[in-house]
Amino acid sequence: MTEEFEYADILHKAATIEDAFEQLVYVAAFSVSCYATTSNRTSKPFNPLLGETYECDRRDDLGWRCISEQVTD
């Protein structure tokens, strides 16, 4: 889930646009952006064990950080 928000800045840009058609273009671009890294990956990027945590810190370049934990199997 975290990987899908790597390009969330596209949604922020869409929110500032007045033209509905152009907004739709940005939302569509965000929707397919999660596939940008799939050519480099042949398996799931994170397959956690119960209780395992994952942290993605993008505060320096994107301004957000995500911490997740596997809580059920």
Side-chain angles (χ1 to χ4, degrees), residues 8-70:
D9 58 310
I10 297 173
L11 290 179
H12 293 292
K13 173 77 173 163
T16 64
I17 296 172
E18 297 289 327
D19 181 30
F21 180 74
E22 192 173 351
Q23 273 185 337
L24 182 61
V25 169
Y26 277 87
V27 171
F30 172 76
S31 298
V32 299
S33 68
C34 63
Y35 297 109
T37 59
T38 57
S39 64
N40 300 329
R41 180 176 17 89
T42 58
S43 63
K44 285 178 62 175
F46 180 56
N47 191 10
L49 301 172
L50 190 61
E52 189 174 4
T53 60
Y54 172 78
E55 179 177 358
C56 181
D57 189 349
R58 300 297 301 263
R59 288 180 287 186
D60 292 339
D61 57 345
L62 299 176
W64 57 270
R65 178 174 85 166
C66 177
I67 301 171
S68 55
E69 178 182 5
Q70 180 71 18

